Amino acid sequence: MKKKIYYEFIISVSIALVVFSIAISSCNFKFGDPSLLTEPTVDYANSILTISIPRQSKSTQYINVYRQDVTDAKEDEYDSVDIINIGLILPENLTSGGNSFQFQDSLVKKSHKYRYRVRYCESSGYYSTEWSDPVEISSGQAYKSDDVLTYTADGLSFDYDETYFTLTLNGAVTSPSVISDFADYTPALIVKIVDSETVKVFEISNDSITSKKAISLRGILTSDFFDSNIQILGIVAQKKQYANEDSDVDIDSLSSDDSSSSSAEGETSSESEEEEDEKPIMRIIWTEPVSIPVTGHDDNILSLSAYTSTEVFDFSQSVNKQ
């Protein structure tokens, strides 16, 4: 009798383990931190580093892609390495099917070792993944270790006009000369709301970083940055990748520097710019950020008040009958 009970127990446990294994294999779950999703898959082949990001839901608003350069770090030091936000994916504008999104990181260097993670923005909040295993760039057409892959702003600073709420750079930044398609990038200002997790980039003109053209903060910032202490974190170069409306081929199947995906953005005619504006943006690629101090302001913290008006007029949309 005891022997029968013992065998029944073993069979029950075996069945439970099989069911558990099937459940786990069908979910995007990984042992470790239960709050983190499974890491993206990273592949480096034919001189292209591709990050494959699992689809989580149909309601994903956007996906941030993060990178760490862990070349000189030991494994137990990885968590202290700077995290760089290298791009953004807008899933609703992607036309390709499948169970994953593709993001290509072309701004990598030979003999460097990188790892990646992503963050999903959902209506219910943010959800981050684990970090991928490190990938070493050992061959191919990657950049050299001493190549500069972002703006250089040595010795430069912003002057802030508190009357007109403008920032003016006191010199000109240097663009990276090794990036062949850098003409497709535009500068953007990185701004953070103090005591908040809100950090956004706002596109600015090339003249504002090369010809001392003032940046009007009231003209570029969104309403959530008004009546708050804000912090100027620096500048970054960004490249937009647009959906190809003339073809069923998504940019997922193309390299990030393919002429068919970037040539329109490099055009200077107003007609080409209008066509770009009509196309949905699929991805945004960011270089590494560059910090620029604001003269006379500790930690680059500024206060920006909203517009106020002393004259208020009633413009009701209905007429009350007496």
CSV table of all heavy atoms in Angstrom, one decimal, residues 236-297:
chain,number,residue,atom,x,y,z
A,236,VAL,N,22.3,66.3,-27.7
A,236,VAL,CA,22.5,65.0,-28.3
A,236,VAL,C,22.1,65.2,-29.8
A,236,VAL,O,21.4,66.1,-30.2
A,236,VAL,CB,21.6,64.0,-27.6
A,236,VAL,CG1,20.1,64.2,-27.9
A,236,VAL,CG2,22.0,62.6,-28.0
A,237,ALA,N,22.7,64.3,-30.6
A,237,ALA,CA,22.3,64.3,-32.0
A,237,ALA,C,21.4,63.2,-32.2
A,237,ALA,O,21.6,62.1,-31.7
A,237,ALA,CB,23.6,64.1,-32.9
A,238,GLN,N,20.3,63.4,-33.0
A,238,GLN,CA,19.3,62.4,-33.2
A,238,GLN,C,19.0,62.3,-34.7
A,238,GLN,O,19.0,63.2,-35.4
A,238,GLN,CB,18.0,62.7,-32.4
A,238,GLN,CG,17.2,63.9,-32.9
A,238,GLN,CD,15.9,64.1,-32.1
A,238,GLN,OE1,15.7,63.5,-31.0
A,238,GLN,NE2,15.1,64.9,-32.5
A,239,LYS,N,18.7,61.0,-35.1
A,239,LYS,CA,18.3,60.7,-36.4
A,239,LYS,C,17.0,60.0,-36.4
A,239,LYS,O,16.8,59.0,-35.7
A,239,LYS,CB,19.4,59.8,-37.1
A,239,LYS,CG,19.1,59.3,-38.5
A,239,LYS,CD,20.2,58.4,-39.0
A,239,LYS,CE,19.8,57.8,-40.4
A,239,LYS,NZ,20.9,56.9,-40.8
A,240,LYS,N,16.1,60.5,-37.3
A,240,LYS,CA,14.8,59.9,-37.4
A,240,LYS,C,14.7,58.9,-38.6
A,240,LYS,O,15.2,59.2,-39.6
A,240,LYS,CB,13.7,60.9,-37.6
A,240,LYS,CG,13.6,61.9,-36.4
A,240,LYS,CD,12.7,63.1,-36.8
A,240,LYS,CE,12.7,64.1,-35.7
A,240,LYS,NZ,11.8,65.3,-36.0
A,241,GLN,N,14.1,57.7,-38.3
A,241,GLN,CA,13.9,56.8,-39.4
A,241,GLN,C,12.4,56.7,-39.7
A,241,GLN,O,11.6,56.4,-38.8
A,241,GLN,CB,14.5,55.4,-39.0
A,241,GLN,CG,16.0,55.3,-38.9
A,241,GLN,CD,16.5,54.0,-38.6
A,241,GLN,OE1,15.8,53.2,-38.0
A,241,GLN,NE2,17.7,53.7,-39.1
A,242,TYR,N,12.1,57.0,-40.9
A,242,TYR,CA,10.7,57.1,-41.3
A,242,TYR,C,10.2,55.8,-42.0
A,242,TYR,O,11.0,55.1,-42.6
A,242,TYR,CB,10.5,58.3,-42.3
A,242,TYR,CG,10.7,59.6,-41.7
A,242,TYR,CD1,12.0,60.2,-41.8
A,242,TYR,CD2,9.7,60.3,-41.1
A,242,TYR,CE1,12.3,61.4,-41.2
A,242,TYR,CE2,10.0,61.6,-40.5
A,242,TYR,CZ,11.2,62.1,-40.6
A,242,TYR,OH,11.5,63.4,-40.0
A,243,ALA,N,8.9,55.6,-41.9
A,243,ALA,CA,8.3,54.4,-42.6
A,243,ALA,C,8.3,54.7,-44.1
A,243,ALA,O,8.1,55.8,-44.6
A,243,ALA,CB,6.9,54.2,-42.1
A,244,ASN,N,8.6,53.6,-44.8
A,244,ASN,CA,8.6,53.6,-46.3
A,244,ASN,C,7.3,53.3,-46.8
A,244,ASN,O,6.9,52.1,-46.9
A,244,ASN,CB,9.7,52.6,-46.8
A,244,ASN,CG,9.9,52.8,-48.3
A,244,ASN,OD1,9.1,53.4,-49.0
A,244,ASN,ND2,10.9,52.1,-48.8
A,245,GLU,N,6.5,54.3,-47.1
A,245,GLU,CA,5.1,54.1,-47.5
A,245,GLU,C,5.0,53.6,-48.9
A,245,GLU,O,3.9,53.2,-49.3
A,245,GLU,CB,4.4,55.5,-47.4
A,245,GLU,CG,4.3,56.0,-46.0
A,245,GLU,CD,3.5,57.3,-45.9
A,245,GLU,OE1,3.5,58.0,-46.9
A,245,GLU,OE2,3.0,57.6,-44.8
A,246,ASP,N,6.1,53.6,-49.7
A,246,ASP,CA,6.0,53.2,-51.1
A,246,ASP,C,6.4,51.7,-51.2
A,246,ASP,O,6.4,51.2,-52.3
A,246,ASP,CB,7.0,54.0,-51.9
A,246,ASP,CG,6.7,55.5,-51.9
A,246,ASP,OD1,5.5,55.8,-51.9
A,246,ASP,OD2,7.6,56.3,-52.0
A,247,SER,N,6.6,51.1,-50.1
A,247,SER,CA,7.0,49.7,-50.2
A,247,SER,C,6.6,48.9,-49.0
A,247,SER,O,6.4,49.5,-47.9
A,247,SER,CB,8.6,49.6,-50.3
A,247,SER,OG,9.0,48.3,-50.2
A,248,ASP,N,6.4,47.6,-49.2
A,248,ASP,CA,6.0,46.8,-48.0
A,248,ASP,C,7.2,46.4,-47.2
A,248,ASP,O,7.1,45.8,-46.2
A,248,ASP,CB,5.3,45.5,-48.5
A,248,ASP,CG,4.0,45.8,-49.1
A,248,ASP,OD1,3.3,46.8,-48.7
A,248,ASP,OD2,3.5,45.1,-50.0
A,249,VAL,N,8.4,46.7,-47.7
A,249,VAL,CA,9.7,46.4,-47.0
A,249,VAL,C,9.9,47.3,-45.9
A,249,VAL,O,10.0,48.5,-46.0
A,249,VAL,CB,10.9,46.4,-48.0
A,249,VAL,CG1,12.1,46.1,-47.2
A,249,VAL,CG2,10.7,45.5,-49.1
A,250,ASP,N,9.9,46.8,-44.7
A,250,ASP,CA,10.2,47.6,-43.5
A,250,ASP,C,11.7,47.8,-43.3
A,250,ASP,O,12.5,47.1,-43.8
A,250,ASP,CB,9.6,46.9,-42.3
A,250,ASP,CG,9.6,47.8,-41.0
A,250,ASP,OD1,10.6,48.2,-40.5
A,250,ASP,OD2,8.5,48.1,-40.6
A,251,ILE,N,12.0,48.9,-42.6
A,251,ILE,CA,13.4,49.2,-42.4
A,251,ILE,C,14.1,48.1,-41.5
A,251,ILE,O,15.3,48.0,-41.4
A,251,ILE,CB,13.6,50.5,-41.7
A,251,ILE,CG1,14.8,51.2,-42.1
A,251,ILE,CG2,13.5,50.4,-40.2
A,251,ILE,CD1,14.9,52.7,-41.7
A,252,ASP,N,13.2,47.2,-40.9
A,252,ASP,CA,13.8,46.1,-40.1
A,252,ASP,C,14.7,45.2,-41.0
A,252,ASP,O,15.6,44.6,-40.5
A,252,ASP,CB,12.7,45.2,-39.6
A,252,ASP,CG,11.9,45.8,-38.5
A,252,ASP,OD1,12.4,46.8,-37.9
A,252,ASP,OD2,10.8,45.3,-38.1
A,253,SER,N,14.5,45.2,-42.3
A,253,SER,CA,15.3,44.3,-43.1
A,253,SER,C,16.4,45.1,-43.8
A,253,SER,O,17.1,44.5,-44.6
A,253,SER,CB,14.4,43.7,-44.2
A,253,SER,OG,13.8,44.7,-45.0
A,254,LEU,N,16.6,46.3,-43.4
A,254,LEU,CA,17.6,47.1,-44.0
A,254,LEU,C,18.7,47.5,-43.0
A,254,LEU,O,18.4,47.6,-41.8
A,254,LEU,CB,17.1,48.4,-44.6
A,254,LEU,CG,16.0,48.2,-45.7
A,254,LEU,CD1,15.4,49.6,-46.1
A,254,LEU,CD2,16.5,47.5,-46.9
A,255,SER,N,19.9,47.8,-43.4
A,255,SER,CA,20.9,48.4,-42.5
A,255,SER,C,20.5,49.8,-42.1
A,255,SER,O,19.8,50.5,-42.8
A,255,SER,CB,22.3,48.3,-43.1
A,255,SER,OG,22.4,49.2,-44.2
A,256,SER,N,21.0,50.3,-41.0
A,256,SER,CA,20.6,51.6,-40.5
A,256,SER,C,21.1,52.7,-41.3
A,256,SER,O,20.6,53.8,-41.2
A,256,SER,CB,21.1,51.8,-39.0
A,256,SER,OG,22.5,51.7,-39.0
A,257,ASP,N,22.1,52.5,-42.2
A,257,ASP,CA,22.6,53.5,-43.0
A,257,ASP,C,22.3,53.3,-44.5
A,257,ASP,O,22.9,53.8,-45.4
A,257,ASP,CB,24.2,53.6,-42.9
A,257,ASP,CG,24.9,52.3,-43.3
A,257,ASP,OD1,24.2,51.3,-43.6
A,257,ASP,OD2,26.1,52.4,-43.4
A,258,ASP,N,21.2,52.5,-44.7
A,258,ASP,CA,20.7,52.3,-46.1
A,258,ASP,C,20.2,53.6,-46.7
A,258,ASP,O,19.4,54.3,-46.1
A,258,ASP,CB,19.6,51.2,-46.1
A,258,ASP,CG,19.3,50.8,-47.5
A,258,ASP,OD1,18.6,51.5,-48.2
A,258,ASP,OD2,19.7,49.7,-47.9
A,259,SER,N,20.6,53.9,-47.9
A,259,SER,CA,20.3,55.2,-48.6
A,259,SER,C,18.8,55.3,-48.8
A,259,SER,O,18.3,56.4,-48.7
A,259,SER,CB,21.0,55.3,-49.9
A,259,SER,OG,20.6,54.2,-50.8
A,260,SER,N,18.1,54.2,-48.9
A,260,SER,CA,16.6,54.3,-49.2
A,260,SER,C,15.9,54.8,-47.9
A,260,SER,O,14.8,55.3,-48.0
A,260,SER,CB,16.1,53.0,-49.6
A,260,SER,OG,16.2,52.0,-48.6
A,261,SER,N,16.5,54.6,-46.7
A,261,SER,CA,15.8,55.0,-45.5
A,261,SER,C,16.2,56.3,-45.0
A,261,SER,O,15.5,56.9,-44.2
A,261,SER,CB,16.0,53.9,-44.4
A,261,SER,OG,17.4,53.9,-44.1
A,262,SER,N,17.3,56.9,-45.5
A,262,SER,CA,17.8,58.1,-44.9
A,262,SER,C,18.0,59.2,-46.0
A,262,SER,O,18.2,60.4,-45.6
A,262,SER,CB,19.2,57.9,-44.3
A,262,SER,OG,20.1,57.4,-45.2
A,263,SER,N,17.9,59.0,-47.2
A,263,SER,CA,18.2,60.0,-48.2
A,263,SER,C,17.1,61.1,-48.2
A,263,SER,O,17.5,62.3,-48.4
A,263,SER,CB,18.2,59.4,-49.6
A,263,SER,OG,17.0,58.7,-49.9
A,264,ALA,N,15.9,60.8,-48.0
A,264,ALA,CA,14.9,61.8,-48.0
A,264,ALA,C,15.1,62.8,-46.8
A,264,ALA,O,14.9,64.0,-47.0
A,264,ALA,CB,13.5,61.2,-47.8
A,265,GLU,N,15.6,62.3,-45.7
A,265,GLU,CA,15.8,63.2,-44.6
A,265,GLU,C,17.0,64.1,-44.8
A,265,GLU,O,17.0,65.2,-44.2
A,265,GLU,CB,16.1,62.4,-43.3
A,265,GLU,CG,16.0,63.2,-42.0
A,265,GLU,CD,16.2,62.3,-40.8
A,265,GLU,OE1,16.2,61.1,-41.0
A,265,GLU,OE2,16.2,62.9,-39.7
A,266,GLY,N,17.9,63.7,-45.7
A,266,GLY,CA,19.0,64.6,-45.9
A,266,GLY,C,18.7,65.7,-46.9
A,266,GLY,O,19.6,66.6,-47.1
A,267,GLU,N,17.6,65.6,-47.6
A,267,GLU,CA,17.2,66.7,-48.6
A,267,GLU,C,17.0,68.0,-47.8
A,267,GLU,O,16.5,68.0,-46.7
A,267,GLU,CB,16.0,66.3,-49.3
A,267,GLU,CG,16.2,65.0,-50.2
A,267,GLU,CD,17.0,65.3,-51.4
A,267,GLU,OE1,17.2,66.4,-51.8
A,267,GLU,OE2,17.5,64.3,-52.0
A,268,THR,N,17.2,69.1,-48.5
A,268,THR,CA,17.0,70.4,-47.9
A,268,THR,C,15.8,71.1,-48.5
A,268,THR,O,15.4,72.2,-48.0
A,268,THR,CB,18.3,71.3,-48.2
A,268,THR,OG1,18.5,71.4,-49.6
A,268,THR,CG2,19.5,70.7,-47.5
A,269,SER,N,15.2,70.6,-49.6
A,269,SER,CA,14.1,71.3,-50.2
A,269,SER,C,12.9,71.2,-49.3
A,269,SER,O,12.7,70.2,-48.5
A,269,SER,CB,13.8,70.7,-51.5
A,269,SER,OG,13.3,69.3,-51.4
A,270,SER,N,12.0,72.2,-49.3
A,270,SER,CA,10.9,72.2,-48.5
A,270,SER,C,9.9,71.1,-48.8
A,270,SER,O,9.2,70.6,-48.0
A,270,SER,CB,10.1,73.6,-48.6
A,270,SER,OG,9.8,73.8,-49.9
A,271,GLU,N,9.9,70.7,-50.1
A,271,GLU,CA,9.0,69.6,-50.5
A,271,GLU,C,9.4,68.3,-49.9
A,271,GLU,O,8.6,67.6,-49.4
A,271,GLU,CB,9.1,69.5,-52.1
A,271,GLU,CG,8.1,68.4,-52.6
A,271,GLU,CD,8.2,68.3,-54.1
A,271,GLU,OE1,8.8,69.2,-54.7
A,271,GLU,OE2,7.6,67.4,-54.6
A,272,SER,N,10.7,68.1,-49.8
A,272,SER,CA,11.2,66.8,-49.2
A,272,SER,C,10.9,66.9,-47.7
A,272,SER,O,10.5,65.8,-47.1
A,272,SER,CB,12.7,66.7,-49.4
A,272,SER,OG,13.0,66.5,-50.8
A,273,GLU,N,11.0,68.0,-47.0
A,273,GLU,CA,10.8,68.1,-45.6
A,273,GLU,C,9.3,67.9,-45.3
A,273,GLU,O,8.9,67.3,-44.3
A,273,GLU,CB,11.2,69.5,-45.1
A,273,GLU,CG,12.7,69.7,-45.1
A,273,GLU,CD,13.1,71.1,-44.7
A,273,GLU,OE1,12.2,71.9,-44.5
A,273,GLU,OE2,14.3,71.4,-44.6
A,274,GLU,N,8.4,68.4,-46.2
A,274,GLU,CA,7.0,68.2,-46.0
A,274,GLU,C,6.6,66.7,-46.1
A,274,GLU,O,5.8,66.2,-45.4
A,274,GLU,CB,6.2,69.0,-47.0
A,274,GLU,CG,6.2,70.6,-46.7
A,274,GLU,CD,5.5,71.4,-47.8
A,274,GLU,OE1,5.0,70.7,-48.7
A,274,GLU,OE2,5.5,72.6,-47.7
A,275,GLU,N,7.3,66.0,-47.1
A,275,GLU,CA,7.0,64.6,-47.3
A,275,GLU,C,7.4,63.8,-46.1
A,275,GLU,O,6.8,62.9,-45.7
A,275,GLU,CB,7.8,64.1,-48.5
A,275,GLU,CG,7.2,64.6,-49.8
A,275,GLU,CD,8.0,64.2,-51.0
A,275,GLU,OE1,9.1,63.5,-50.8
A,275,GLU,OE2,7.6,64.5,-52.2
A,276,GLU,N,8.6,64.2,-45.4
A,276,GLU,CA,9.0,63.6,-44.2
A,276,GLU,C,8.0,63.7,-43.1
A,276,GLU,O,7.8,62.8,-42.4
A,276,GLU,CB,10.4,64.1,-43.8
A,276,GLU,CG,11.5,63.7,-44.7
A,276,GLU,CD,12.8,64.3,-44.4
A,276,GLU,OE1,12.8,65.1,-43.4
A,276,GLU,OE2,13.8,64.1,-45.0
A,277,ASP,N,7.5,65.0,-43.0
A,277,ASP,CA,6.6,65.2,-41.9
A,277,ASP,C,5.4,64.4,-42.0
A,277,ASP,O,4.7,64.1,-41.0
A,277,ASP,CB,6.2,66.7,-41.9
A,277,ASP,CG,7.4,67.6,-41.5
A,277,ASP,OD1,8.3,67.1,-40.8
A,277,ASP,OD2,7.4,68.8,-41.8
A,278,GLU,N,5.0,64.0,-43.2
A,278,GLU,CA,3.8,63.2,-43.4
A,278,GLU,C,4.0,61.8,-43.1
A,278,GLU,O,3.1,61.0,-42.9
A,278,GLU,CB,3.3,63.4,-44.8
A,278,GLU,CG,2.8,64.8,-45.1
A,278,GLU,CD,2.4,65.0,-46.6
A,278,GLU,OE1,2.6,64.0,-47.4
A,278,GLU,OE2,1.9,66.1,-47.0
A,279,LYS,N,5.3,61.3,-43.2
A,279,LYS,CA,5.6,59.9,-42.9
A,279,LYS,C,5.7,59.7,-41.4
A,279,LYS,O,6.3,60.5,-40.7
A,279,LYS,CB,6.9,59.5,-43.6
A,279,LYS,CG,6.9,59.5,-45.1
A,279,LYS,CD,8.2,59.1,-45.7
A,279,LYS,CE,8.2,59.1,-47.2
A,279,LYS,NZ,9.5,58.8,-47.8
A,280,PRO,N,5.2,58.6,-41.0
A,280,PRO,CA,5.3,58.3,-39.5
A,280,PRO,C,6.7,57.9,-39.2
A,280,PRO,O,7.4,57.2,-40.0
A,280,PRO,CB,4.3,57.1,-39.3
A,280,PRO,CG,4.2,56.4,-40.7
A,280,PRO,CD,4.4,57.6,-41.7
A,281,ILE,N,7.2,58.3,-38.0
A,281,ILE,CA,8.5,58.0,-37.5
A,281,ILE,C,8.5,56.6,-36.9
A,281,ILE,O,7.7,56.3,-36.0
A,281,ILE,CB,9.0,59.0,-36.5
A,281,ILE,CG1,9.1,60.4,-37.1
A,281,ILE,CG2,10.3,58.6,-35.9
A,281,ILE,CD1,9.3,61.5,-36.1
A,282,MET,N,9.4,55.7,-37.4
A,282,MET,CA,9.5,54.4,-36.8
A,282,MET,C,10.5,54.3,-35.6
A,282,MET,O,10.2,53.6,-34.6
A,282,MET,CB,9.9,53.4,-37.9
A,282,MET,CG,8.9,53.2,-39.0
A,282,MET,SD,9.3,51.8,-40.1
A,282,MET,CE,10.9,52.2,-40.7
A,283,ARG,N,11.6,54.9,-35.8
A,283,ARG,CA,12.7,54.9,-34.8
A,283,ARG,C,13.4,56.2,-34.7
A,283,ARG,O,13.4,56.9,-35.7
A,283,ARG,CB,13.7,53.8,-35.2
A,283,ARG,CG,13.2,52.4,-35.2
A,283,ARG,CD,14.3,51.4,-35.7
A,283,ARG,NE,13.8,50.1,-36.0
A,283,ARG,CZ,13.2,49.8,-37.1
A,283,ARG,NH1,13.1,50.7,-38.1
A,283,ARG,NH2,12.8,48.5,-37.3
A,284,ILE,N,14.0,56.4,-33.6
A,284,ILE,CA,14.9,57.6,-33.4
A,284,ILE,C,16.2,57.0,-32.9
A,284,ILE,O,16.2,56.2,-31.9
A,284,ILE,CB,14.3,58.6,-32.4
A,284,ILE,CG1,13.0,59.2,-33.0
A,284,ILE,CG2,15.3,59.7,-32.2
A,284,ILE,CD1,12.3,60.2,-32.1
A,285,ILE,N,17.3,57.4,-33.5
A,285,ILE,CA,18.6,57.0,-33.1
A,285,ILE,C,19.3,58.2,-32.4
A,285,ILE,O,19.3,59.3,-32.9
A,285,ILE,CB,19.4,56.5,-34.3
A,285,ILE,CG1,18.7,55.3,-34.9
A,285,ILE,CG2,20.9,56.2,-33.8
A,285,ILE,CD1,19.4,54.9,-36.2
A,286,TRP,N,19.9,57.9,-31.2
A,286,TRP,CA,20.6,59.0,-30.5
A,286,TRP,C,22.1,58.7,-30.4
A,286,TRP,O,22.5,57.5,-30.1
A,286,TRP,CB,20.0,59.2,-29.1
A,286,TRP,CG,18.7,59.9,-29.1
A,286,TRP,CD1,18.4,61.1,-29.7
A,286,TRP,CD2,17.5,59.4,-28.5
A,286,TRP,NE1,17.1,61.4,-29.4
A,286,TRP,CE2,16.5,60.4,-28.7
A,286,TRP,CE3,17.2,58.3,-27.7
A,286,TRP,CZ2,15.2,60.3,-28.2
A,286,TRP,CZ3,15.9,58.2,-27.2
A,286,TRP,CH2,14.9,59.2,-27.4
A,287,THR,N,22.9,59.7,-30.6
A,287,THR,CA,24.3,59.5,-30.2
A,287,THR,C,24.5,59.6,-28.7
A,287,THR,O,23.5,59.8,-28.0
A,287,THR,CB,25.2,60.7,-30.8
A,287,THR,OG1,24.8,61.9,-30.3
A,287,THR,CG2,25.0,60.7,-32.3
A,288,GLU,N,25.7,59.5,-28.2
A,288,GLU,CA,25.9,59.7,-26.8
A,288,GLU,C,25.7,61.2,-26.4
A,288,GLU,O,26.0,62.1,-27.3
A,288,GLU,CB,27.3,59.3,-26.3
A,288,GLU,CG,27.4,57.8,-26.4
A,288,GLU,CD,28.7,57.3,-25.6
A,288,GLU,OE1,29.3,58.1,-24.9
A,288,GLU,OE2,29.1,56.1,-25.8
A,289,PRO,N,25.2,61.5,-25.3
A,289,PRO,CA,24.9,62.9,-24.9
A,289,PRO,C,26.2,63.7,-24.6
A,289,PRO,O,27.2,63.1,-24.2
A,289,PRO,CB,24.0,62.8,-23.7
A,289,PRO,CG,24.3,61.5,-23.1
A,289,PRO,CD,24.7,60.6,-24.2
A,290,VAL,N,26.1,65.0,-24.7
A,290,VAL,CA,27.3,65.9,-24.3
A,290,VAL,C,26.8,66.9,-23.3
A,290,VAL,O,25.8,67.6,-23.5
A,290,VAL,CB,27.8,66.6,-25.5
A,290,VAL,CG1,28.9,67.6,-25.1
A,290,VAL,CG2,28.4,65.6,-26.5
A,291,SER,N,27.4,66.9,-22.1
A,291,SER,CA,27.0,67.9,-21.1
A,291,SER,C,27.6,69.2,-21.4
A,291,SER,O,28.8,69.4,-21.7
A,291,SER,CB,27.4,67.4,-19.7
A,291,SER,OG,27.1,68.3,-18.7
A,292,ILE,N,26.8,70.3,-21.2
A,292,ILE,CA,27.3,71.7,-21.4
A,292,ILE,C,26.8,72.5,-20.2
A,292,ILE,O,25.6,72.6,-19.9
A,292,ILE,CB,26.7,72.3,-22.7
A,292,ILE,CG1,27.2,71.5,-23.9
A,292,ILE,CG2,27.2,73.7,-22.9
A,292,ILE,CD1,26.7,71.9,-25.3
A,293,PRO,N,27.7,73.2,-19.5
A,293,PRO,CA,27.3,73.9,-18.3
A,293,PRO,C,26.5,75.2,-18.7
A,293,PRO,O,26.7,75.8,-19.8
A,293,PRO,CB,28.6,74.3,-17.7
A,293,PRO,CG,29.6,74.3,-18.8
A,293,PRO,CD,29.1,73.2,-19.7
A,294,VAL,N,25.7,75.6,-17.8
A,294,VAL,CA,24.9,76.9,-17.9
A,294,VAL,C,25.6,77.9,-17.0
A,294,VAL,O,25.6,77.7,-15.8
A,294,VAL,CB,23.4,76.8,-17.6
A,294,VAL,CG1,22.7,78.1,-17.7
A,294,VAL,CG2,22.8,75.7,-18.5
A,295,THR,N,26.2,79.0,-17.5
A,295,THR,CA,26.9,79.9,-16.7
A,295,THR,C,26.1,80.5,-15.6
A,295,THR,O,25.0,81.0,-15.8
A,295,THR,CB,27.4,81.1,-17.6
A,295,THR,OG1,28.2,80.5,-18.7
A,295,THR,CG2,28.3,82.1,-16.8
A,296,GLY,N,26.6,80.4,-14.4
A,296,GLY,CA,26.0,81.1,-13.2
A,296,GLY,C,24.9,80.3,-12.6
A,296,GLY,O,24.2,80.8,-11.7
A,297,HIS,N,24.7,79.0,-13.0
A,297,HIS,CA,23.6,78.2,-12.5
A,297,HIS,C,24.1,76.9,-12.0
A,297,HIS,O,24.5,76.1,-12.9
A,297,HIS,CB,22.5,78.0,-13.6
A,297,HIS,CG,21.7,79.3,-13.9
A,297,HIS,ND1,20.6,79.7,-13.3
A,297,HIS,CD2,22.0,80.3,-14.8
A,297,HIS,CE1,20.2,80.8,-13.8
A,297,HIS,NE2,21.0,81.2,-14.7
